[in-house]
Amino acid sequence: MESITLQSLGGAETVTGSKHLLKTPELTLLIDCGLFQGVKYLREQNWKSLNTDISEIDALILTHAHLDHCGYIPLLVKNGFKGKIYMTRPTKELTKLILLDSAKLQEEDAEKANRHHYTKHHPAKPLYTVNDTEKAFNQFVIVNENEEIKLSNHVHFTFKPCGHIIGACSVEVVCFEKTIIFSGDIGRNHSAILPAPDFFTHADFLVMESTYGDRLHDNTDLYDELEHWINITVKNHGNIIIPSFAVGRAQEIIYILHQLKKQNRIPFNIPIVLDSPMAASATDIMLHYANYTTIDQQEWLEIIQHITINREYERTRKIIQDKKSKIIIAGSGMVTGGRVLEYLKHDIGNSRNTVLIVGFQAEGTRGRALLNRTHELKMHGKFYPVKANIVEITGLSAHADQSELMEWIKKYENPPKQIMLVHGELSALEALRVKIQTELQIPVTIMMKDQEVVLSEAYIPSDSLK
């Protein structure tokens, strides 16, 4: 008898750095391979060696393209991973975009640190380079949704769409007659642009995200909320600034704003600016894969024609200098960097302006500080007083809330024998654990980083071992 075990190398007790190692008697699989983001002690985890032998990982299965799920891939390959990296077709295109951007930023940060001598390391080096990233692309393998992929005699997996962003999937891994589901990041039931999350019907074990495991999204009508704050701000001759994730969120926002204009609920002539090279490229990818959304390609083309898409940094300054009211959508989504900082430095000190927070804000980010009503924000070494309206719009979240997570579990015809919670802060993990155990009577384990959990024992015929 040999064991099937699960070990979370990241994405345990935190909402970042997802890496879940599934060891079976035939293969060792890694599900997701993300970077840690947020506070300094989490980011420092990226520089530490993984608590496993990378050369023993046979394959990587990627649920979706966000950096906290894919961002460690170039380093994994650089450090000796030689297996295939399985993902859906849109995920492949988005992952390439995100990883190249990540590598470029790391190279630039290292160069600045060396030029200005603010590094403990001499010389400072990037976590990985553009060249490292491009080498990793050679191991990418496209898999269709709902297609069973056989990895060995007793191990196969299947992708099923889970909302969140285009190409995002939950993963069913079947090994030695045991079924382990990895939820990935589960999207909303009523997204403006994506189909509702699909689901599996049987699981022995469920590895479940819990980002919003302790809260419900506001039931206030999303369109009413956006209409209200946009019109108030325009009346006050101010600007609306929306820090946005480049992949998924930015495209949903421009779709909703287009609908509000068509319905004459906000001024038709108010400029909408998408100021993010990555969001611009992600929009191109979404246009190409429009069939993964609920909006046809022709409508996407119409939407794009009615907004200003800015890729050039020099033009950002001209947009800022324009005194007319406008809606700015810019990265980054957690206000950790990017073009949105330039707009905030100019506008956050004026009460006529409004900042709309539309996604999850990790601990230690400027976005979380704004939600916590900070009186000032430090950007590029200087403190700026916060006088603008700070408004959280939870209806635009790409993550299911507690009730939607519970509903997703209840769709299983054969409930999981055990649920392992990951991808959540401690309060969210504990709240969802109590909710599941009380209402569904399913045993729940909160995964701890690097702790190996035995899921099952498996009988292995001697002639089937690798």
Side-chain angles (χ1 to χ4, degrees):
M1 299 287 283
E2 294 193 43
S3 299
I4 299 169
T5 66
L6 177 70
Q7 183 182 16
S8 290
L9 308 176
E13 301 179 283
T14 184
V15 187
T16 189
S18 290
K19 303 177 195 73
H20 306 295
L21 195 68
L22 183 67
K23 295 181 180 178
T24 83
E26 283 185 344
L27 296 174
T28 295
L29 307 178
L30 186 64
I31 288 77
D32 286 337
C33 190
L35 280 184
F36 287 96
Q37 299 171 281
V39 293
K40 184 178 180 180
Y41 86 89
L42 283 174
R43 299 196 308 273
E44 288 174 343
Q45 298 294 316
N46 296 320
W47 294 89
K48 297 179 180 179
S49 298
L50 294 184
N51 190 24
T52 193
D53 185 345
I54 291 176
S55 67
E56 292 184 357
I57 301 173
D58 296 290
L60 167 59
I61 301 172
L62 183 62
T63 64
H64 68 284
H66 278 151
L67 194 66
D68 62 326
H69 291 257
C70 75
Y72 195 86
I73 288 175
L75 195 56
L76 191 78
V77 172
K78 181 180 179 181
N79 289 337
F81 172 69
K82 304 200 181 293
K84 294 179 179 179
I85 305 172
Y86 296 95
M87 64 194 74
T88 63
R89 196 173 299 274
T91 297
K92 178 183 177 182
E93 299 305 318
L94 291 171
T95 299
K96 284 185 173 182
L97 171 68
I98 286 172
L99 290 182
L100 286 171
D101 180 75
S102 173
K104 181 182 175 184
L105 288 174
Q106 290 178 61
E107 288 182 341
E108 290 173 353
D109 287 346
E111 189 274 329
K112 288 177 186 175
N114 290 321
R115 188 170 72 245
H116 297 291
H117 308 290
Y118 59 78
T119 173
K120 298 177 184 177
H121 309 282
H122 301 284
K125 295 181 179 180
L127 190 63
Y128 51 81
T129 65
V130 169
N131 185 52
D132 295 329
T133 300
E134 290 174 338
K135 287 180 179 177
F137 296 164
N138 295 326
Q139 291 164 236
F140 286 12
V141 177
I142 294 172
V143 174
N144 294 324
E145 297 165 348
N146 299 304
E147 177 185 358
E148 184 180 298
I149 303 299
K150 186 174 182 179
L151 298 176
S152 67
N153 288 339
H154 297 90
V155 182
H156 64 262
F157 79 91
T158 306
F159 278 135
K160 197 172 282 289
C162 64
H164 193 57
I165 62 173
I166 60 167
C169 287
S170 301
V171 182
E172 175 191 71
V173 179
V174 179
C175 55
F176 297 92
E177 301 182 350
K178 297 295 181 183
T179 300
I180 302 108
I181 305 294
F182 294 83
S183 72
D185 286 0
I186 300 172
R188 304 297 309 280
N189 288 340
H190 304 289
S191 166
I193 62 172
L194 294 174
D198 204 346
F199 54 92
F200 295 98
T201 58
H202 167 77
D204 293 297
F205 304 96
L206 171 57
V207 185
M208 178 97 174
E209 71 117 325
S210 53
T211 312
Y212 284 116
D214 60 344
R215 64 185 292 183
L216 302 177
H217 295 317
D218 194 339
N219 285 328
T220 304
D221 184 273
L222 172 60
Y223 286 70
D224 288 347
E225 218 172 352
L226 287 170
E227 175 187 7
H228 171 77
W229 285 106
I230 290 170
N231 286 333
I232 281 182
T233 307
V234 172
K235 185 178 179 181
N236 292 332
H237 306 288
N239 294 322
I240 300 93
I241 301 171
I242 308 178
S244 176
F245 299 100
V247 178
R249 197 69 42 81
Q251 294 74 36
E252 185 168 8
I253 291 167
I254 62 175
Y255 169 79
I256 292 172
L257 294 176
H258 183 72
Q259 296 305 307
L260 288 172
K261 281 191 173 187
K262 283 176 65 176
Q263 297 166 18
N264 295 315
R265 296 174 65 174
I266 62 174
F268 192 81
N269 61 351
I270 184 171
I272 297 172
V273 180
L274 180 62
D275 195 343
S276 164
M278 185 189 289
S281 297
T283 301
D284 292 340
I285 292 171
M286 179 168 279
L287 181 64
H288 183 74
Y289 292 103
N291 59 310
Y292 282 79
T293 75
T294 56
I295 316 301
D296 66 44
Q297 192 175 64
Q298 193 58 43
E299 187 168 1
W300 278 120
L301 285 169
E302 181 185 342
I303 292 166
I304 292 167
Q305 288 168 2
H306 286 86
I307 65 173
T308 298
I309 296 179
N310 180 38
R311 298 175 189 260
E312 305 302 324
Y313 182 78
E314 292 75 16
R315 194 177 176 194
T316 296
R317 297 195 178 279
K318 294 180 181 179
I319 296 168
I320 290 172
Q321 291 165 3
D322 183 353
K323 301 301 181 184
K324 296 177 183 176
S325 290
K326 52 196 163 296
I327 301 171
I328 303 293
I329 306 159
S332 68
M334 296 187 193
V335 201
T336 53
R339 305 255 177 104
V340 74
L341 296 183
E342 300 304 321
Y343 291 100
L344 290 177
K345 285 192 289 186
H346 188 269
D347 285 348
I348 204 166
N350 192 321
S351 61
R352 294 181 304 175
N353 302 318
T354 299
V355 180
L356 299 180
I357 304 295
V358 299
F360 181 81
Q361 305 299 311
E363 181 186 0
T365 62
R366 293 188 186 92
R368 175 68 72 89
L370 288 174
L371 289 182
N372 290 340
R373 303 300 169 190
T374 184
H375 67 285
E376 61 184 4
L377 207 60
K378 186 179 180 182
M379 294 178 281
H380 297 153
K382 183 179 177 182
F383 286 96
Y384 293 80
V386 177
K387 301 283 183 65
N389 300 298
I390 309 298
V391 180
E392 184 179 18
I393 307 287
T394 64
L396 270 167
S397 173
H399 283 275
D401 65 8
Q402 187 192 76
S403 67
E404 290 168 322
L405 292 172
M406 291 293 290
E407 184 179 334
W408 194 79
I409 299 171
K410 290 175 184 176
K411 289 178 178 177
Y412 281 76
E413 295 173 4
N414 299 302
K417 296 180 178 65
Q418 186 174 359
I419 294 176
M420 279 67 66
L421 293 181
V422 297
H423 202 282
E425 293 180 354
L426 291 176
S427 58
L429 290 160
E430 182 60 19
L432 189 58
R433 180 192 70 80
V434 172
K435 187 76 171 176
I436 293 169
Q437 290 189 165
T438 302
E439 291 195 4
L440 303 179
Q441 289 80 51
I442 299 173
V444 178
T445 298
I446 293 176
M447 294 296 293
M448 299 176 66
K449 186 176 182 296
D450 294 332
Q451 181 182 26
E452 192 167 23
V453 175
V454 176
L455 300 183
S456 179
E457 301 295 335
Y459 172 73
I460 318 298
S462 59
D463 61 350
S464 72
L465 293 175
K466 62 176 183 179

